[in-house]
mmCIF file of all heavy atoms in Angstrom:
data_model
loop_
_atom_site.group_PDB
_atom_site.id
_atom_site.type_symbol
_atom_site.label_atom_id
_atom_site.label_comp_id
_atom_site.label_asym_id
_atom_site.label_seq_id
_atom_site.Cartn_x
_atom_site.Cartn_y
_atom_site.Cartn_z
ATOM 1 N N MET N 1 -81.946 44.568 -22.508
ATOM 2 C CA MET N 1 -82.481 43.363 -23.067
ATOM 3 C C MET N 1 -81.386 42.307 -22.933
ATOM 4 O O MET N 1 -80.222 42.591 -23.164
ATOM 5 C CB MET N 1 -82.961 43.498 -24.449
ATOM 6 C CG MET N 1 -83.444 42.218 -25.006
ATOM 7 S SD MET N 1 -83.829 42.343 -26.859
ATOM 8 C CE MET N 1 -85.333 43.388 -26.768
ATOM 9 N N ALA N 2 -81.815 40.969 -22.713
ATOM 10 C CA ALA N 2 -80.865 39.891 -22.688
ATOM 11 C C ALA N 2 -81.480 38.634 -23.110
ATOM 12 O O ALA N 2 -82.680 38.470 -22.972
ATOM 13 C CB ALA N 2 -80.244 39.765 -21.165
ATOM 14 N N ASN N 3 -80.615 37.814 -23.706
ATOM 15 C CA ASN N 3 -81.161 36.435 -24.070
ATOM 16 C C ASN N 3 -80.572 35.526 -23.018
ATOM 17 O O ASN N 3 -79.300 35.583 -22.819
ATOM 18 C CB ASN N 3 -80.563 36.048 -25.422
ATOM 19 C CG ASN N 3 -81.305 36.812 -26.593
ATOM 20 O OD1 ASN N 3 -82.455 37.096 -26.612
ATOM 21 N ND2 ASN N 3 -80.605 37.208 -27.596
ATOM 22 N N ILE N 4 -81.443 34.679 -22.422
ATOM 23 C CA ILE N 4 -80.975 33.804 -21.459
ATOM 24 C C ILE N 4 -81.104 32.442 -21.920
ATOM 25 O O ILE N 4 -82.374 31.872 -21.911
ATOM 26 C CB ILE N 4 -81.605 34.002 -20.085
ATOM 27 C CG1 ILE N 4 -81.440 35.473 -19.653
ATOM 28 C CG2 ILE N 4 -81.206 33.005 -18.968
ATOM 29 C CD1 ILE N 4 -82.224 35.900 -18.382
ATOM 30 N N PRO N 5 -80.133 31.708 -22.438
ATOM 31 C CA PRO N 5 -80.365 30.344 -22.900
ATOM 32 C C PRO N 5 -80.328 29.282 -21.877
ATOM 33 O O PRO N 5 -79.584 29.465 -20.869
ATOM 34 C CB PRO N 5 -79.157 30.173 -23.931
ATOM 35 C CG PRO N 5 -78.053 31.009 -23.260
ATOM 36 C CD PRO N 5 -78.890 32.182 -22.630
ATOM 37 N N ILE N 6 -81.249 28.377 -21.854
ATOM 38 C CA ILE N 6 -81.263 27.289 -20.896
ATOM 39 C C ILE N 6 -81.200 25.965 -21.799
ATOM 40 O O ILE N 6 -82.154 25.764 -22.455
ATOM 41 C CB ILE N 6 -82.411 27.340 -19.942
ATOM 42 C CG1 ILE N 6 -82.349 28.669 -19.149
ATOM 43 C CG2 ILE N 6 -82.570 26.024 -19.027
ATOM 44 C CD1 ILE N 6 -83.590 28.806 -18.158
ATOM 45 N N PHE N 7 -80.194 25.232 -21.643
ATOM 46 C CA PHE N 7 -80.066 23.997 -22.525
ATOM 47 C C PHE N 7 -80.888 22.871 -21.692
ATOM 48 O O PHE N 7 -80.782 22.579 -20.535
ATOM 49 C CB PHE N 7 -78.661 23.547 -22.458
ATOM 50 C CG PHE N 7 -78.501 22.280 -23.460
ATOM 51 C CD1 PHE N 7 -78.555 22.460 -24.700
ATOM 52 C CD2 PHE N 7 -78.203 21.140 -22.793
ATOM 53 C CE1 PHE N 7 -78.329 21.382 -25.497
ATOM 54 C CE2 PHE N 7 -77.960 20.076 -23.604
ATOM 55 C CZ PHE N 7 -78.065 20.084 -24.978
ATOM 56 N N ILE N 8 -81.882 22.311 -22.440
ATOM 57 C CA ILE N 8 -82.751 21.347 -21.897
ATOM 58 C C ILE N 8 -82.489 20.008 -22.690
ATOM 59 O O ILE N 8 -82.906 19.838 -23.763
ATOM 60 C CB ILE N 8 -84.233 21.715 -22.014
ATOM 61 C CG1 ILE N 8 -84.381 23.105 -21.271
ATOM 62 C CG2 ILE N 8 -85.234 20.722 -21.396
ATOM 63 C CD1 ILE N 8 -85.869 23.627 -21.492
ATOM 64 N N PRO N 9 -81.738 19.048 -22.083
ATOM 65 C CA PRO N 9 -81.362 17.924 -22.817
ATOM 66 C C PRO N 9 -82.534 17.142 -23.417
ATOM 67 O O PRO N 9 -83.472 16.813 -22.723
ATOM 68 C CB PRO N 9 -80.534 17.052 -21.759
ATOM 69 C CG PRO N 9 -80.185 18.063 -20.611
ATOM 70 C CD PRO N 9 -81.307 19.104 -20.621
ATOM 71 N N HIS N 10 -82.384 16.950 -24.609
ATOM 72 C CA HIS N 10 -83.352 16.045 -25.434
ATOM 73 C C HIS N 10 -84.821 16.492 -25.321
ATOM 74 O O HIS N 10 -85.783 15.657 -25.536
ATOM 75 C CB HIS N 10 -83.274 14.555 -24.897
ATOM 76 C CG HIS N 10 -81.961 13.823 -25.224
ATOM 77 N ND1 HIS N 10 -81.863 13.555 -26.622
ATOM 78 C CD2 HIS N 10 -80.984 13.479 -24.498
ATOM 79 C CE1 HIS N 10 -80.591 12.958 -26.561
ATOM 80 N NE2 HIS N 10 -79.985 12.924 -25.474
ATOM 81 N N ALA N 11 -85.059 17.686 -25.096
ATOM 82 C CA ALA N 11 -86.407 18.222 -25.132
ATOM 83 C C ALA N 11 -86.895 18.482 -26.567
ATOM 84 O O ALA N 11 -88.058 18.302 -26.818
ATOM 85 C CB ALA N 11 -86.419 19.686 -24.429
ATOM 86 N N GLY N 12 -85.924 18.728 -27.473
ATOM 87 C CA GLY N 12 -86.302 18.795 -28.872
ATOM 88 C C GLY N 12 -86.206 17.633 -29.661
ATOM 89 O O GLY N 12 -86.722 17.489 -30.628
ATOM 90 N N CYS N 13 -85.339 16.828 -29.154
ATOM 91 C CA CYS N 13 -85.073 15.538 -29.850
ATOM 92 C C CYS N 13 -84.982 14.399 -28.923
ATOM 93 O O CYS N 13 -84.307 14.345 -27.975
ATOM 94 C CB CYS N 13 -83.779 15.469 -30.617
ATOM 95 S SG CYS N 13 -83.284 13.956 -31.323
ATOM 96 N N LYS N 14 -85.868 13.316 -29.049
ATOM 97 C CA LYS N 14 -86.004 12.323 -28.007
ATOM 98 C C LYS N 14 -85.091 11.153 -28.303
ATOM 99 O O LYS N 14 -85.021 10.116 -27.760
ATOM 100 C CB LYS N 14 -87.521 11.819 -27.966
ATOM 101 C CG LYS N 14 -88.409 12.867 -27.599
ATOM 102 C CD LYS N 14 -88.156 13.422 -26.172
ATOM 103 C CE LYS N 14 -89.105 14.471 -25.743
ATOM 104 N NZ LYS N 14 -88.722 15.078 -24.446
ATOM 105 N N ASN N 15 -84.237 11.304 -29.399
ATOM 106 C CA ASN N 15 -83.357 10.105 -29.783
ATOM 107 C C ASN N 15 -82.102 10.285 -28.905
ATOM 108 O O ASN N 15 -82.003 11.217 -28.078
ATOM 109 C CB ASN N 15 -82.860 10.271 -31.273
ATOM 110 C CG ASN N 15 -83.976 10.166 -32.237
ATOM 111 O OD1 ASN N 15 -84.856 9.237 -32.030
ATOM 112 N ND2 ASN N 15 -83.924 10.885 -33.267
ATOM 113 N N ASP N 16 -81.268 9.223 -28.910
ATOM 114 C CA ASP N 16 -80.123 9.198 -27.949
ATOM 115 C C ASP N 16 -78.846 8.701 -28.713
ATOM 116 O O ASP N 16 -78.211 7.740 -28.329
ATOM 117 C CB ASP N 16 -80.480 8.275 -26.688
ATOM 118 C CG ASP N 16 -79.663 8.492 -25.572
ATOM 119 O OD1 ASP N 16 -78.934 9.544 -25.570
ATOM 120 O OD2 ASP N 16 -79.724 7.643 -24.666
ATOM 121 N N CYS N 17 -78.524 9.344 -29.770
ATOM 122 C CA CYS N 17 -77.420 8.907 -30.531
ATOM 123 C C CYS N 17 -76.135 9.022 -29.605
ATOM 124 O O CYS N 17 -76.003 9.884 -28.781
ATOM 125 C CB CYS N 17 -77.233 9.786 -31.747
ATOM 126 S SG CYS N 17 -78.637 9.645 -32.872
ATOM 127 N N ALA N 18 -75.166 8.095 -29.908
ATOM 128 C CA ALA N 18 -73.913 7.994 -29.176
ATOM 129 C C ALA N 18 -73.151 9.224 -29.121
ATOM 130 O O ALA N 18 -72.504 9.680 -28.198
ATOM 131 C CB ALA N 18 -73.070 6.848 -29.532
ATOM 132 N N PHE N 19 -73.123 9.751 -30.339
ATOM 133 C CA PHE N 19 -72.267 10.989 -30.570
ATOM 134 C C PHE N 19 -72.985 12.291 -30.131
ATOM 135 O O PHE N 19 -72.399 13.374 -30.203
ATOM 136 C CB PHE N 19 -71.760 11.168 -32.025
ATOM 137 C CG PHE N 19 -72.895 10.908 -33.010
ATOM 138 C CD1 PHE N 19 -73.685 12.097 -33.358
ATOM 139 C CD2 PHE N 19 -73.216 9.786 -33.610
ATOM 140 C CE1 PHE N 19 -74.694 11.965 -34.257
ATOM 141 C CE2 PHE N 19 -74.180 9.585 -34.448
ATOM 142 C CZ PHE N 19 -75.108 10.694 -34.836
ATOM 143 N N CYS N 20 -74.165 12.235 -29.663
ATOM 144 C CA CYS N 20 -74.861 13.364 -29.221
ATOM 145 C C CYS N 20 -75.749 13.011 -28.035
ATOM 146 O O CYS N 20 -76.940 13.377 -27.906
ATOM 147 C CB CYS N 20 -75.826 13.952 -30.441
ATOM 148 S SG CYS N 20 -76.767 15.343 -30.057
ATOM 149 N N ASN N 21 -75.081 12.516 -27.062
ATOM 150 C CA ASN N 21 -75.753 12.091 -25.844
ATOM 151 C C ASN N 21 -75.763 13.351 -24.929
ATOM 152 O O ASN N 21 -74.860 13.506 -24.072
ATOM 153 C CB ASN N 21 -74.934 10.830 -25.136
ATOM 154 C CG ASN N 21 -75.837 10.308 -23.924
ATOM 155 O OD1 ASN N 21 -76.592 11.135 -23.335
ATOM 156 N ND2 ASN N 21 -75.708 9.124 -23.838
ATOM 157 N N GLN N 22 -76.943 13.961 -24.980
ATOM 158 C CA GLN N 22 -77.079 15.199 -24.242
ATOM 159 C C GLN N 22 -77.144 15.029 -22.748
ATOM 160 O O GLN N 22 -76.807 15.889 -21.988
ATOM 161 C CB GLN N 22 -78.383 15.981 -24.768
ATOM 162 C CG GLN N 22 -78.145 16.340 -26.283
ATOM 163 C CD GLN N 22 -79.475 16.782 -26.843
ATOM 164 O OE1 GLN N 22 -80.455 17.275 -26.180
ATOM 165 N NE2 GLN N 22 -79.534 16.627 -28.125
ATOM 166 N N LYS N 23 -77.623 13.877 -22.314
ATOM 167 C CA LYS N 23 -77.467 13.606 -20.814
ATOM 168 C C LYS N 23 -76.107 13.468 -20.321
ATOM 169 O O LYS N 23 -75.758 13.964 -19.211
ATOM 170 C CB LYS N 23 -78.250 12.358 -20.504
ATOM 171 C CG LYS N 23 -79.706 12.369 -20.781
ATOM 172 C CD LYS N 23 -80.495 11.095 -20.737
ATOM 173 C CE LYS N 23 -81.924 11.271 -21.250
ATOM 174 N NZ LYS N 23 -82.489 10.042 -21.519
ATOM 175 N N SER N 24 -75.183 12.833 -21.216
ATOM 176 C CA SER N 24 -73.786 12.736 -20.745
ATOM 177 C C SER N 24 -73.105 14.106 -20.888
ATOM 178 O O SER N 24 -72.373 14.458 -20.006
ATOM 179 C CB SER N 24 -73.116 11.777 -21.706
ATOM 180 O OG SER N 24 -71.762 11.710 -21.412
ATOM 181 N N ILE N 25 -73.441 14.947 -21.955
ATOM 182 C CA ILE N 25 -72.829 16.254 -22.133
ATOM 183 C C ILE N 25 -73.042 17.201 -21.026
ATOM 184 O O ILE N 25 -72.308 17.829 -20.462
ATOM 185 C CB ILE N 25 -73.332 16.824 -23.459
ATOM 186 C CG1 ILE N 25 -72.727 16.024 -24.642
ATOM 187 C CG2 ILE N 25 -72.808 18.216 -23.541
ATOM 188 C CD1 ILE N 25 -73.404 16.342 -25.979
ATOM 189 N N THR N 26 -74.386 17.135 -20.512
ATOM 190 C CA THR N 26 -74.872 18.017 -19.574
ATOM 191 C C THR N 26 -74.570 17.523 -18.151
ATOM 192 O O THR N 26 -74.706 18.375 -17.225
ATOM 193 C CB THR N 26 -76.245 18.482 -19.731
ATOM 194 O OG1 THR N 26 -77.134 17.305 -19.591
ATOM 195 C CG2 THR N 26 -76.550 19.112 -21.049
ATOM 196 N N GLY N 27 -74.509 16.302 -18.017
ATOM 197 C CA GLY N 27 -74.493 15.587 -16.606
ATOM 198 C C GLY N 27 -75.910 15.602 -15.940
ATOM 199 O O GLY N 27 -75.950 15.332 -14.719
ATOM 200 N N GLN N 28 -76.927 15.962 -16.716
ATOM 201 C CA GLN N 28 -78.195 15.962 -16.180
ATOM 202 C C GLN N 28 -78.992 14.766 -16.726
ATOM 203 O O GLN N 28 -79.146 14.582 -18.039
ATOM 204 C CB GLN N 28 -78.951 17.182 -16.637
ATOM 205 C CG GLN N 28 -78.313 18.518 -16.159
ATOM 206 C CD GLN N 28 -78.373 18.615 -14.721
ATOM 207 O OE1 GLN N 28 -79.469 18.308 -14.028
ATOM 208 N NE2 GLN N 28 -77.270 19.004 -14.051
ATOM 209 N N LEU N 29 -79.568 13.952 -15.776
ATOM 210 C CA LEU N 29 -80.361 12.765 -16.424
ATOM 211 C C LEU N 29 -81.741 13.107 -16.538
ATOM 212 O O LEU N 29 -82.496 12.414 -17.480
ATOM 213 C CB LEU N 29 -80.309 11.590 -15.208
ATOM 214 C CG LEU N 29 -78.979 11.092 -15.006
ATOM 215 C CD1 LEU N 29 -79.031 9.910 -13.997
ATOM 216 C CD2 LEU N 29 -78.318 10.543 -16.298
ATOM 217 N N VAL N 30 -82.232 14.288 -16.055
ATOM 218 C CA VAL N 30 -83.659 14.664 -16.389
ATOM 219 C C VAL N 30 -83.565 16.099 -16.638
ATOM 220 O O VAL N 30 -82.792 16.816 -16.072
ATOM 221 C CB VAL N 30 -84.643 14.347 -15.164
ATOM 222 C CG1 VAL N 30 -84.744 12.959 -14.877
ATOM 223 C CG2 VAL N 30 -84.145 14.998 -13.886
ATOM 224 N N PRO N 31 -84.494 16.573 -17.483
ATOM 225 C CA PRO N 31 -84.501 18.090 -17.718
ATOM 226 C C PRO N 31 -84.982 18.907 -16.520
ATOM 227 O O PRO N 31 -85.706 18.264 -15.611
ATOM 228 C CB PRO N 31 -85.483 18.179 -18.875
ATOM 229 C CG PRO N 31 -86.289 17.001 -18.756
ATOM 230 C CD PRO N 31 -85.503 15.866 -18.195
ATOM 231 N N PRO N 32 -84.557 20.133 -16.425
ATOM 232 C CA PRO N 32 -84.958 20.930 -15.396
ATOM 233 C C PRO N 32 -86.478 21.194 -15.448
ATOM 234 O O PRO N 32 -87.193 21.146 -16.530
ATOM 235 C CB PRO N 32 -84.283 22.299 -15.595
ATOM 236 C CG PRO N 32 -83.910 22.278 -16.975
ATOM 237 C CD PRO N 32 -83.817 20.875 -17.410
ATOM 238 N N THR N 33 -87.125 21.315 -14.217
ATOM 239 C CA THR N 33 -88.478 21.574 -14.124
ATOM 240 C C THR N 33 -88.748 23.046 -14.520
ATOM 241 O O THR N 33 -87.712 23.852 -14.607
ATOM 242 C CB THR N 33 -89.072 21.317 -12.753
ATOM 243 O OG1 THR N 33 -88.455 22.257 -11.894
ATOM 244 C CG2 THR N 33 -88.809 19.906 -12.295
ATOM 245 N N MET N 34 -90.027 23.458 -14.777
ATOM 246 C CA MET N 34 -90.321 24.842 -15.016
ATOM 247 C C MET N 34 -89.780 25.704 -13.804
ATOM 248 O O MET N 34 -89.333 26.834 -14.063
ATOM 249 C CB MET N 34 -91.764 25.008 -15.297
ATOM 250 C CG MET N 34 -92.274 24.455 -16.627
ATOM 251 S SD MET N 34 -91.468 25.275 -17.998
ATOM 252 C CE MET N 34 -92.435 26.889 -17.934
ATOM 253 N N ALA N 35 -90.106 25.255 -12.524
ATOM 254 C CA ALA N 35 -89.712 25.977 -11.411
ATOM 255 C C ALA N 35 -88.134 26.102 -11.326
ATOM 256 O O ALA N 35 -87.630 27.204 -11.063
ATOM 257 C CB ALA N 35 -90.162 25.300 -10.173
ATOM 258 N N GLU N 36 -87.440 25.093 -11.660
ATOM 259 C CA GLU N 36 -85.998 25.118 -11.711
ATOM 260 C C GLU N 36 -85.449 26.099 -12.876
ATOM 261 O O GLU N 36 -84.473 26.916 -12.636
ATOM 262 C CB GLU N 36 -85.327 23.778 -11.954
ATOM 263 C CG GLU N 36 -85.474 22.872 -10.688
ATOM 264 C CD GLU N 36 -85.218 21.428 -11.018
ATOM 265 O OE1 GLU N 36 -85.233 20.983 -12.162
ATOM 266 O OE2 GLU N 36 -84.814 20.845 -9.992
ATOM 267 N N SER N 37 -86.159 26.070 -13.911
ATOM 268 C CA SER N 37 -85.754 26.992 -15.138
ATOM 269 C C SER N 37 -85.974 28.404 -14.634
ATOM 270 O O SER N 37 -85.190 29.349 -14.962
ATOM 271 C CB SER N 37 -86.544 26.635 -16.409
ATOM 272 O OG SER N 37 -86.223 25.336 -16.782
ATOM 273 N N ALA N 38 -87.205 28.652 -14.004
ATOM 274 C CA ALA N 38 -87.524 30.003 -13.584
ATOM 275 C C ALA N 38 -86.525 30.449 -12.583
ATOM 276 O O ALA N 38 -85.979 31.731 -12.581
ATOM 277 C CB ALA N 38 -88.895 30.010 -12.937
ATOM 278 N N LYS N 39 -85.914 29.684 -11.594
ATOM 279 C CA LYS N 39 -85.025 29.996 -10.625
ATOM 280 C C LYS N 39 -83.631 30.487 -11.358
ATOM 281 O O LYS N 39 -83.074 31.392 -11.037
ATOM 282 C CB LYS N 39 -84.820 28.862 -9.718
ATOM 283 C CG LYS N 39 -83.833 29.159 -8.610
ATOM 284 C CD LYS N 39 -83.747 28.070 -7.508
ATOM 285 C CE LYS N 39 -82.974 28.417 -6.407
ATOM 286 N NZ LYS N 39 -81.602 27.768 -6.414
ATOM 287 N N ILE N 40 -83.318 29.670 -12.370
ATOM 288 C CA ILE N 40 -82.072 29.928 -13.154
ATOM 289 C C ILE N 40 -82.226 31.319 -13.829
ATOM 290 O O ILE N 40 -81.278 32.187 -13.660
ATOM 291 C CB ILE N 40 -81.838 28.857 -14.212
ATOM 292 C CG1 ILE N 40 -81.523 27.597 -13.560
ATOM 293 C CG2 ILE N 40 -80.689 29.342 -15.179
ATOM 294 C CD1 ILE N 40 -81.401 26.319 -14.373
ATOM 295 N N ILE N 41 -83.344 31.619 -14.372
ATOM 296 C CA ILE N 41 -83.582 32.848 -15.102
ATOM 297 C C ILE N 41 -83.537 33.955 -14.074
ATOM 298 O O ILE N 41 -82.902 35.061 -14.350
ATOM 299 C CB ILE N 41 -84.883 32.807 -15.794
ATOM 300 C CG1 ILE N 41 -84.833 31.770 -17.010
ATOM 301 C CG2 ILE N 41 -85.241 34.246 -16.316
ATOM 302 C CD1 ILE N 41 -86.137 31.551 -17.695
ATOM 303 N N GLU N 42 -84.245 33.855 -12.906
ATOM 304 C CA GLU N 42 -84.080 34.851 -11.862
ATOM 305 C C GLU N 42 -82.845 35.179 -11.407
ATOM 306 O O GLU N 42 -82.413 36.240 -11.212
ATOM 307 C CB GLU N 42 -85.011 34.444 -10.683
ATOM 308 C CG GLU N 42 -86.477 34.519 -11.007
ATOM 309 C CD GLU N 42 -87.000 35.819 -11.222
ATOM 310 O OE1 GLU N 42 -86.466 36.818 -10.644
ATOM 311 O OE2 GLU N 42 -87.966 36.017 -11.978
ATOM 312 N N GLU N 43 -81.886 34.066 -11.201
ATOM 313 C CA GLU N 43 -80.615 34.344 -10.714
ATOM 314 C C GLU N 43 -79.628 35.035 -11.835
ATOM 315 O O GLU N 43 -78.938 36.026 -11.576
ATOM 316 C CB GLU N 43 -79.893 32.977 -10.515
ATOM 317 C CG GLU N 43 -80.401 32.172 -9.150
ATOM 318 C CD GLU N 43 -79.837 30.888 -9.084
ATOM 319 O OE1 GLU N 43 -79.157 30.408 -9.937
ATOM 320 O OE2 GLU N 43 -80.205 30.254 -8.048
ATOM 321 N N ILE N 44 -79.923 34.734 -13.084
ATOM 322 C CA ILE N 44 -79.156 35.419 -14.143
ATOM 323 C C ILE N 44 -79.634 36.888 -14.315
ATOM 324 O O ILE N 44 -78.887 37.739 -14.379
ATOM 325 C CB ILE N 44 -79.370 34.598 -15.512
ATOM 326 C CG1 ILE N 44 -78.552 33.285 -15.486
ATOM 327 C CG2 ILE N 44 -78.818 35.486 -16.582
ATOM 328 C CD1 ILE N 44 -78.868 32.373 -16.490
ATOM 329 N N LEU N 45 -80.957 37.066 -14.090
ATOM 330 C CA LEU N 45 -81.497 38.434 -14.246
ATOM 331 C C LEU N 45 -80.891 39.363 -13.108
ATOM 332 O O LEU N 45 -80.528 40.487 -13.330
ATOM 333 C CB LEU N 45 -82.978 38.456 -14.085
ATOM 334 C CG LEU N 45 -83.736 37.991 -15.501
ATOM 335 C CD1 LEU N 45 -85.226 37.881 -15.242
ATOM 336 C CD2 LEU N 45 -83.411 39.021 -16.580
ATOM 337 N N GLN N 46 -80.867 38.785 -11.934
ATOM 338 C CA GLN N 46 -80.176 39.534 -10.794
ATOM 339 C C GLN N 46 -78.782 39.809 -10.957
ATOM 340 O O GLN N 46 -78.356 40.968 -10.578
ATOM 341 C CB GLN N 46 -80.357 38.795 -9.507
ATOM 342 C CG GLN N 46 -81.839 38.675 -8.962
ATOM 343 C CD GLN N 46 -82.072 37.969 -7.696
ATOM 344 O OE1 GLN N 46 -80.995 37.405 -7.201
ATOM 345 N NE2 GLN N 46 -83.234 37.826 -7.326
ATOM 346 N N SER N 47 -78.070 38.988 -11.708
ATOM 347 C CA SER N 47 -76.585 39.218 -11.968
ATOM 348 C C SER N 47 -76.521 40.260 -13.005
ATOM 349 O O SER N 47 -75.446 40.920 -13.160
ATOM 350 C CB SER N 47 -75.885 37.926 -12.400
ATOM 351 O OG SER N 47 -76.297 37.534 -13.723
ATOM 352 N N LEU N 48 -77.539 40.601 -13.802
ATOM 353 C CA LEU N 48 -77.426 41.524 -14.800
ATOM 354 C C LEU N 48 -77.744 42.915 -14.445
ATOM 355 O O LEU N 48 -77.420 43.880 -15.116
ATOM 356 C CB LEU N 48 -78.409 41.150 -16.031
ATOM 357 C CG LEU N 48 -78.036 39.889 -16.790
ATOM 358 C CD1 LEU N 48 -79.122 39.515 -17.851
ATOM 359 C CD2 LEU N 48 -76.629 39.952 -17.392
ATOM 360 N N THR N 49 -78.317 42.998 -13.196
ATOM 361 C CA THR N 49 -78.743 44.399 -12.795
ATOM 362 C C THR N 49 -77.724 44.911 -11.816
ATOM 363 O O THR N 49 -76.783 44.336 -11.444
ATOM 364 C CB THR N 49 -80.015 44.311 -11.931
ATOM 365 O OG1 THR N 49 -80.014 43.385 -10.921
ATOM 366 C CG2 THR N 49 -81.198 43.888 -12.876
HETATM 367 S S1 SF4 A 101 -77.692 13.385 -33.283
HETATM 368 FE FE1 SF4 A 101 -79.281 12.078 -32.554
HETATM 369 S S2 SF4 A 101 -79.758 12.819 -30.361
HETATM 370 FE FE2 SF4 A 101 -78.545 14.314 -31.413
HETATM 371 S S3 SF4 A 101 -80.159 15.764 -32.222
HETATM 372 FE FE3 SF4 A 101 -79.595 14.399 -33.859
HETATM 373 S S4 SF4 A 101 -81.020 12.570 -33.761
HETATM 374 FE FE4 SF4 A 101 -81.130 13.812 -31.856
#
């Protein structure tokens, strides 16, 4: 069993406070798509086996 965290900027909070600019922190201007998230999960699962 494994937990695979995927950080999705501002998915839970739509605010954009200067001290918590998740787009700046992650370097991602848009959140990953479901397909991109699935690809990340597949890659991590392969590395675990
Ligand atoms: S600090 Fe601002 S942007 Fe960050 S979670 Fe709180 S309200 Fe949202």
Side-chain angles (χ1 to χ4, degrees):
M1 179 186 290
N3 290 323
I4 302 173
I6 296 179
F7 185 73
I8 303 173
H10 290 291
C13 174
K14 300 298 181 188
N15 294 325
D16 200 11
C17 299
F19 50 86
C20 184
N21 188 325
Q22 297 169 22
K23 293 171 187 161
S24 176
I25 292 168
T26 63
Q28 300 293 316
L29 297 180
V30 295
T33 65
M34 288 296 289
E36 290 168 334
S37 297
K39 184 171 184 258
I40 292 168
I41 292 169
E42 288 295 329
E43 288 173 356
I44 293 173
L45 285 173
Q46 287 180 3
S47 74
L48 294 176
T49 57

